[in-house]
Amino acid sequence: MVKLNLYQKFIRYIAIILWAISLFAMLGWLFHIEIFTQVYLGLPTMKFNTAFCFFLLACVIFCTQGRHCFKISEVLNILLLILATVTLVQYIGHFDLGIDQLVVQDERGIATGNPTPGRMSMATSLCFIFMSISLVLIRSNSDKAKKVAAYFSVSVILLSFFAITAFIYNIPTFDKIRFISSMAIHTAISFFMAGLAVSLIIPRFGMTELFTSKRIGSFMIRRLFFQLLVATLLLSYIILYCFRKGYFAADFSIAMVAVVLIFATLILLLIVSRGINRIDTEKRAAEEELHVIHMYLNATPNPLIVVNKQGIIELSNSLMVDIFGYSEEELKGRAITSLIPERFHSVHKQHLERYFEHINSIEQQEKNTRVLR
């Protein structure tokens, strides 16, 4: 059984959540359970076709984690792309092909005089198209294609985040940008999760790399971004609440937002800079320690190498370099078995395993001794 890494588990969990949301929404339409389609009275509903598209999207996302259902996922993704594209074309061409109420009728939409009852919003159809294209491009061997896929998924995340923010701030529908005014809150949340899932399928590409990389810049972004995001949303909400209650005038509220954001950014920058300085100090100390170790290794009259538990060369001295003809950089990261005749590989592996078992037993004994004391 293949062991899943953290990203793969997260992606599968998202797919399962999307399945649940879409199934509940479809059941809501079939059995007239409004809470499954609307979540909260007065909010836009997740249309049946939207729920069906999310079901397809969840299937495709789930199948990206294995090869056994590759063909099925391709077919489902094509179906998703066709349905979303036809919906968008209906908006652009101002006509109705009858697919919006093919399974169930949007009685509420008809009663309220909606000119396109049962139809997902234009933003929703566009997000599905972006998701579908992304899921096609991530299978490509081209890095450029994967970068495009990453930016498509980020676009979906941004659109859905805008809709979620409008809901959190309780902005009336008529005040929103019309393009996303009819996107249901659970539709926006589902797109946000789907965008994250697709981004994590290709974590080394696009903006996702900035968050997933182990470099110092990525460390800074991880520390700064989420704290700044929470601080911005919370403080903006408080200021907006005070404005609505009449405590602040409009111009003063805008000035307050600017001042608070600057202040919050400065505080977070100070926190992050301290963390980076600590990492830099530790790095310098490690480099100095490594330099001392190199000096000792090169001072010995015998060729020496240092390997880790996996048998990968970490360090070597100058005599070792002279014997094998490799530079120190070339030796580092190589398996030690590459320097040993093949007939001795199995024996060496056994010796290495016994050695580390012995070291581990000594460490365990010392640990037990400290506990007893």
Side-chain angles (χ1 to χ4, degrees):
M1 184 176 179
V2 179
K3 187 177 180 180
L4 300 177
N5 61 33
L6 182 62
Y7 292 157
Q8 290 172 325
K9 289 180 180 178
F10 187 71
I11 291 165
R12 290 197 170 185
Y13 289 148
I14 287 178
I16 292 169
I17 293 171
L18 291 178
W19 272 328
I21 293 173
S22 60
L23 286 172
F24 274 117
M26 286 190 284
L27 288 172
W29 281 105
L30 292 172
F31 298 102
H32 306 286
I33 307 173
E34 288 192 3
I35 193 171
F36 289 170
T37 62
Q38 198 173 12
V39 178
Y40 188 76
L41 189 64
L43 293 178
T45 57
M46 178 186 284
K47 307 303 181 186
F48 185 89
N49 281 4
T50 303
F52 180 66
C53 284
F54 272 123
F55 183 83
L56 296 176
L57 181 60
C59 292
V60 179
I61 290 173
F62 191 87
C63 288
T64 58
Q65 303 306 296
R67 297 181 180 180
H68 56 282
C69 54
F70 176 75
K71 293 295 182 182
I72 297 174
S73 67
E74 278 191 327
V75 174
L76 296 178
N77 197 27
I78 291 171
L79 180 59
L80 170 64
L81 183 60
I82 291 172
L83 187 56
T85 304
V86 170
T87 302
L88 186 62
V89 169
Q90 287 183 128
Y91 275 111
I92 297 172
H94 302 287
F95 56 83
D96 187 357
L97 295 175
I99 65 169
D100 305 317
Q101 300 184 90
L102 188 63
V103 180
V104 294
Q105 276 200 333
D106 184 7
E107 296 175 357
R108 181 170 174 266
I110 296 171
T112 56
N114 187 342
T116 56
R119 184 180 299 177
M120 67 179 79
S121 70
M122 186 182 291
T124 301
S125 60
L126 188 62
C127 285
F128 278 127
I129 292 171
F130 283 174
M131 286 282 91
S132 180
I133 294 173
S134 295
L135 288 164
V136 171
L137 294 176
I138 60 175
R139 298 183 185 275
S140 171
N141 294 324
S142 169
D143 287 351
K144 289 184 178 179
K146 290 180 179 179
K147 285 181 181 178
V148 173
Y151 286 116
F152 271 137
S153 62
V154 169
S155 300
V156 172
I157 291 172
L158 291 176
L159 277 172
S160 58
F161 183 73
F162 187 89
I164 294 168
T165 305
F167 172 77
I168 293 172
Y169 285 176
N170 195 25
I171 299 174
T173 301
F174 55 81
D175 287 341
K176 298 179 193 174
I177 296 175
R178 189 175 179 182
F179 181 64
I180 62 167
S181 62
S182 57
M183 184 182 286
I185 180 60
H186 44 329
T187 299
I189 293 171
S190 298
F191 273 130
F192 187 83
M193 292 190 295
L196 284 178
V198 174
S199 296
L200 291 175
I201 294 172
I202 44 174
R204 296 186 299 105
F205 296 92
M207 292 181 65
T208 314
E209 184 187 13
L210 298 176
F211 292 90
T212 58
S213 173
K214 295 182 180 179
R215 293 191 291 268
I216 293 179
S218 298
F219 167 79
M220 184 180 71
I221 288 177
R222 285 194 296 270
R223 288 289 302 273
L224 183 62
F225 178 78
F226 295 106
Q227 295 180 35
L228 185 59
L229 178 66
V230 173
T232 303
L233 290 175
L234 182 61
L235 294 172
S236 299
Y237 182 85
I238 293 171
I239 293 171
L240 182 62
Y241 176 81
C242 293
F243 168 71
R244 286 173 174 168
K245 289 293 183 180
Y247 301 143
F248 300 148
D251 51 357
F252 183 76
S253 298
I254 295 171
M256 279 288 293
V257 170
V259 171
V260 167
L261 289 180
I262 293 171
F263 184 70
T265 303
L266 285 174
I267 292 175
L268 291 174
L269 284 173
L270 286 172
I271 295 171
V272 172
S273 63
R274 286 179 180 176
I276 292 175
N277 289 338
R278 187 184 69 252
I279 292 173
D280 186 59
T281 302
E282 292 173 355
K283 181 183 176 183
R284 289 176 183 272
E287 288 175 348
E288 290 177 3
E289 186 177 348
L290 189 62
H291 179 68
V292 172
I293 293 172
H294 266 289
M295 289 177 60
Y296 279 114
L297 287 176
N298 290 326
T300 58
N302 299 314
L304 292 173
I305 56 173
V306 178
V307 299
N308 59 23
K309 291 183 179 181
Q310 287 73 41
I312 304 300
I313 298 172
E314 298 286 350
L315 293 172
S316 59
N317 65 357
S318 55
L319 288 175
M320 199 71 184
V321 172
D322 294 338
I323 290 173
F324 288 97
Y326 293 109
S327 66
E328 188 177 338
E329 290 74 19
E330 289 173 327
L331 281 175
K332 186 176 181 180
R334 293 174 66 96
I336 191 172
T337 50
S338 64
L339 307 178
I340 301 172
E342 189 174 352
R343 64 180 182 275
F344 298 125
H345 283 189
S346 59
V347 176
H348 178 268
K349 184 179 179 182
Q350 293 173 6
H351 287 320
L352 193 65
E353 289 175 352
R354 282 199 296 268
Y355 172 77
F356 281 114
E357 285 175 3
H358 178 65
I359 295 296
N360 290 335
S361 65
I362 292 174
E363 290 177 350
Q364 187 62 40
Q365 288 175 5
E366 291 178 351
K367 184 178 179 181
N368 294 337
T369 304
R370 286 195 297 270
V371 170
L372 291 173
R373 289 177 182 175

